[in-house]
Structures are given as C-alpha cells and as structure tokens.
Amino acid sequence: MFDFKAIGDALIACDEDKVLGLVKSGLDQGVAAKDLLSRGLIAGMDVVGERMEKEEMFIPEVLVAAKAMSAAVQILKPLLAEGDTGAQGRVVIGTVKGDLHDIGKNLVAMMLESAGLEVYNIGVDVAPDKFVSELKARNANILALSALLTTTMPMMKETVAAVAKAGIRDKVRILVGGAPVTQAYAKEIGADGYAPDAGSASKLAKSLM
Ligand code: B1M
C-alpha cells in the first residue's frame, strides 16, 4: 500500500527533493497520477493551509511548499492529461485581481489543455480590463476565473460585468472556481458555470461550448 501521507508530510516539511522523490517512486510503483495528486499533494497542501491559518506555518514556508507542489505537478502533468483532442474552443484563464494563488488555476489550465482546448493562461492578479482585452485579442469563447480568497471573489463579479460592458458577453461562456467559490455564488454573479475541481472544470468547459 503506497504511503500517500509521506508526500503530504514532505510537503509540510518544505522538502522539495523528498516530495519529488516520493512522487517519482509512486509512479514507478504504478500508483495513478491522479491519486498522487489528490491523496498526496492536495491533502498535504490542505494541512499547510490549516497550519497557515493557525500561524504554525508562515508565508515564506508556504511559498516553498507551493513551489515543491508545482514542481511535482509538472512531473504528473503528462499523466493527468485526458488525451481527448476532440473539443474545440479557446479559453482565457487567470486568477482575479488581488489574488496571487495559482496552483489550482494552473491545474485547471492543464486539464483544459489536455481536453483539446486552446488555453491562454494569463497568470495571477488579473484586472477585469485585462481579461476583456485578452478575450478580444484571442477571440476566445470561454473565460475561466479562479479565486482563492473570499476577499477577491467580488472581483469575479466585476470581471463578469466588464465582459458585459465590453459587449462580448453573448460570445463568451464564463466559468468560475476556486476553494471559496460555490455554485450559488456563480449563479448570483451571472457566470455560466461553476466547477469544484480541475477535472470537472474541463468537463464543464466542453459542455458549455
Ligand atoms: Co494563501 N490562503 N494566502 N497562499 N493559501 C489560502 C487560500 C487560505 C485558505 C489559507 C488558510 O488560511 N487556511 C487563506 C484564504 C482564506 C479565505 O479567504 N477564505 C489564504 C490566505 C488568507 C492568504 C493570504 C491573505 C495570507 C496573508 O498574507 N496573510 C495571502 C494572500 C495573497 C494574495 O493572493 N493576495 C496568501 C498567500 C499565499 C501564498 C502566496 C503564500 C501561497 C500561494 C502560492 C501560489 O499559489 N503560487 C498560498 C497558499 C499555497 C495557500 C494554500 C495553503 C494552498 C492553496 C493551493 O495551492 N491549494 C491555501 C489553503 C488551502 O487551499 N488549503 C491558502 C492546492 C490547489 C490544488 O488547490 O487552489 O483550491 P486550489 O484549486 C483547486 C480548486 O479550488 C479548484 O481546482 C483545484 C483542484 O483541482 N479550482 C478551480 C481552482 N481554481 C479553479 C477555477 C475553476 C474551477 C476550479 O474554473 C475556472
């Protein structure tokens, strides 16, 4: 039985070499990439979040843990891909203004890409106007917004409003997600869909087209 907790423990200890070694060893043993992600890395990151909240871990340490997680995700990336290239569509994805969290957003971008969509990942702390200009420049038909902070969720609403103000709302499906976001919130702000995780985000994006 593979020790998933060891991955989380190494992440909490901010030991990137150990995290990568355990992930590689899991793959060598035939453990599924999605399990290494959800039962190892994401479970570990949840504990990091709890410790951060209790001030048992501080921002510099959390950044090191986040870097280790991103490096591990890069190893898993080709294996998490769905390999379905049948869908078409152009997606602009980013984390909303004021918010610097990008690990989950990058996972969503990766899953959308592997579902055959053309993905423009425009980073973090993205202002509503920037989303609008990228949507126009890329002639995109899906906008994917991520927020990890309750304080930045309202920026999703502002972004939806900016898309409408720019006169392109009827051409763009808007998908929202991130830990504090809910289906009810998506509805409230006039988004077209909400997904709780990267896998369902890619399914939803395809169904919205
Ligand atoms: Co921050 N942080 N953080 N943080 N951080 C949280 C989010 C927090 C829950 C921790 C806590 O207190 N328990 C808390 C938010 C509380 C709240 O508002 N509800 C918090 C806070 C408070 C803060 C600061 C304010 C701390 C401070 O400065 N005092 C600060 C804010 C900075 C800013 O953004 N302006 C801050 C800073 C940071 C770091 C920079 C140190 C670092 C981010 C590094 C980085 O991303 N490159 C960081 C981290 C790492 C976290 C935690 C520990 C982990 C987040 C993560 O990457 N999770 C987090 C606690 C937690 O989540 N348990 C926390 C793993 C990732 C795979 O999950 O991002 O949830 P997640 O993505 C999921 C789903 O949400 C979904 O799919 C993914 C999985 O498949 N999803 C989508 C995400 N986007 C989606 C979009 C979609 C669909 C699904 O459609 C478009």
Side-chain angles (χ1 to χ4, degrees):
M1 173 72 183
F2 186 77
D3 186 4
F4 291 101
K5 189 172 172 293
I7 295 182
D9 288 345
L11 202 62
I12 296 158
C14 300
D15 188 340
E16 179 171 333
D17 288 345
K18 195 163 182 188
V19 171
L20 299 184
L22 286 164
V23 165
K24 284 178 193 157
S25 143
L27 291 174
D28 288 345
Q29 291 172 52
V31 180
K34 67 173 178 29
D35 289 334
L36 292 168
L37 178 68
S38 61
R39 297 172 66 184
L41 295 165
I42 293 183
M45 211 40 149
D46 282 344
V47 177
V48 170
E50 285 160 21
R51 295 198 178 180
M52 188 177 168
E53 205 169 0
K54 290 185 203 151
E55 299 192 347
E56 291 167 4
M57 270 180 96
F58 297 97
I59 303 294
E61 298 165 272
V62 179
L63 274 172
V64 179
K67 182 175 163 286
M69 171 142 183
S70 295
V73 168
Q74 283 308 309
I75 295 177
L76 297 177
K77 186 173 174 176
L79 299 154
L80 291 167
E82 279 177 24
D84 169 7
T85 52
Q88 283 182 357
R90 245 175 250 125
V91 186
V92 167
I93 183 167
T95 304
V96 297
K97 189 170 165 57
D99 201 321
L100 302 175
H101 296 85
D102 70 354
I103 298 174
K105 181 261 299 170
N106 290 342
L107 272 172
V108 174
M110 193 178 91
M111 293 304 285
L112 292 171
E113 228 167 58
S114 69
L117 301 166
E118 204 175 309
V119 177
Y120 298 92
N121 184 345
I122 61 171
V124 296
D125 191 20
V126 181
D129 287 354
K130 173 74 177 163
F131 278 117
V132 169
S133 60
E134 287 289 332
L135 284 167
K136 287 181 177 168
R138 309 295 182 186
N139 195 20
N141 50 3
I142 296 185
L143 173 62
L145 301 174
S146 179
L148 263 285
L149 300 170
T150 42
T151 49
T152 55
M153 282 168 63
M155 207 39 83
M156 290 181 149
K157 187 176 180 182
E158 289 200 27
T159 305
V160 173
V163 172
K165 195 172 164 213
I168 54 171
R169 183 67 186 90
D170 57 336
K171 296 194 189 84
V172 179
R173 304 288 91 189
I174 303 178
L175 165 62
V176 295
V181 182
T182 60
Q183 177 74 60
Y185 186 71
K187 195 171 172 212
E188 183 190 320
I189 65 172
D192 299 298
Y194 156 78
D197 55 50
S200 45
S202 101
K203 287 194 189 89
L204 180 62
K206 284 193 282 180
S207 76
L208 286 175
M209 285 187 312

